[in-house]
Amino acid sequence: MAKIISSSRAKKVGVPSVPKKPAKKVAKDPPKPAKKSAKPKPWTPAEVYEAFSRFRKANPEPKGELEHLNPYTLLVAVVLSAQATDAGVNKATRALFAVADTPAKMLELGEEKVREYIKTIGLYRNKAKNVIALSEKLIAEFGSEVPRTRAEIETLPGAGRKTANVVLNMAYGEHTMAVDTHVFRVGNRTGLAPGNTPLEVELGLEKVIPSEFMLHAHHWLILHGRYTCLARKPRCEVCLINDLCRWPEKTV
């Protein structure tokens, strides 16, 4: 009988394996830099002139919507308008200004009573404190008059650059550009004066807008942003400057 060799003792017979060559590394293309979104083409001087000519034709004498009686009440109204609507401020200040239209009368009224008049306005407690403090400073340092320079107005409690620009423009006819949320949006969205900060937009607008339009320019832009170039649903179909606007998402 043939002798059976157990599989465990059997020698494995096979074809000698050929050593594998290391796989060649496929060179990968270097990552492509992310495409930068193209900056909108700047407006030409002729386009800027055309835009503001249209604004002027549609509304030759635009007015600010904050109600006031004199430079002092304008200053107070602008200070109160921070993070509040003009309509809400007007509702509160009509009665306030009827009894206190000068710094002296405001001090006589006192902070507690001022709070009562403006309690429907956001942050009214801090704003009442600022109104009393700025009134005291106007009497002590400026002869009860609202100063005529931006630097001096900015020293008053509650007053910043935007407040100073509004007062200088509306009370004293200076060619200043007050940049609120509406003007900031319009300047960036249209490409008229893009900027990362209100100051950048302000300086950009002052650079491109012809002097003959500067007295009313900030009112035209505020009204345009408030009623046409809305934040969520811009009304491009009725926009006076839709053919000039650089916004890529405009609907017309």
Side-chain angles (χ1 to χ4, degrees):
M1 180 182 293
K3 191 176 181 181
I4 298 174
I5 301 173
S6 65
S7 59
S8 62
R9 293 172 57 193
K11 292 183 179 179
K12 293 182 181 178
V13 179
V15 179
S17 61
V18 179
K20 292 182 180 180
K21 293 182 180 180
K24 290 183 179 180
K25 292 183 179 180
V26 180
K28 293 182 180 180
D29 293 331
K32 294 180 180 179
K35 289 184 179 180
K36 293 183 179 180
S37 55
K39 289 184 178 180
K41 182 181 177 183
W43 288 47
T44 66
E47 289 174 324
V48 177
Y49 193 93
E50 175 63 21
F52 283 91
S53 295
R54 294 179 192 178
F55 286 141
R56 179 169 62 186
K57 184 177 180 181
N59 188 2
E61 296 288 334
K63 303 295 181 184
E65 296 185 337
L66 282 175
E67 297 173 6
H68 60 282
L69 307 172
N70 52 40
Y72 170 71
T73 54
L74 173 62
L75 170 65
V76 172
V78 179
V79 168
L80 294 179
S81 71
Q83 300 181 49
T85 65
D86 288 359
V89 172
N90 291 339
K91 187 176 180 181
T93 57
R94 286 181 194 126
L96 174 63
F97 293 158
V99 297
D101 60 353
T102 67
K105 291 179 182 178
M106 196 68 75
L107 286 185
E108 187 178 347
L109 192 62
E111 184 179 333
E112 186 175 341
K113 288 185 178 179
V114 171
R115 282 203 305 265
E116 285 301 307
Y117 278 102
I118 67 170
K119 63 184 178 182
T120 56
I121 302 174
L123 307 175
Y124 73 96
R125 292 181 183 277
N126 192 54
K127 289 178 179 179
K129 185 182 296 184
N130 283 336
V131 168
I132 293 299
L134 71 83
S135 299
E136 289 175 337
K137 187 159 186 170
L138 287 174
I139 293 171
E141 299 181 23
F142 299 104
S144 296
E145 298 293 328
V146 176
R148 289 175 172 262
T149 70
R150 181 188 290 124
E152 288 174 319
I153 294 174
E154 286 189 77
T155 67
L156 300 172
R161 186 180 181 92
K162 187 193 79 172
T163 297
N165 284 339
V166 172
V167 173
L168 291 172
N169 179 267
M170 292 180 63
Y172 300 134
E174 298 286 341
H175 287 189
T176 53
M177 175 58 62
V179 177
D180 67 352
T181 55
H182 300 299
V183 177
F184 186 79
R185 179 172 64 255
V186 172
N188 275 287
R189 181 181 279 168
T190 63
L192 184 61
N196 294 319
T197 65
L199 180 58
E200 286 181 11
V201 172
E202 175 188 332
L203 298 178
L205 289 170
E206 288 181 343
K207 184 177 179 180
V208 300
I209 299 173
S211 177
E212 69 178 273
F213 298 113
M214 277 299 296
L215 179 60
H216 297 311
H218 101 268
H219 282 129
W220 283 320
L221 294 175
I222 287 173
L223 295 172
H224 188 65
R226 183 173 289 162
Y227 298 111
T228 302
C229 195
L230 309 179
R232 294 186 179 180
K233 292 184 179 180
R235 302 173 64 214
C236 300
E237 69 280 2
V238 297
C239 176
L240 289 175
I241 59 171
N242 56 33
D243 58 318
L244 302 171
C245 176
R246 302 291 197 261
W247 192 39
E249 298 177 45
K250 62 185 177 181
T251 57
V252 292

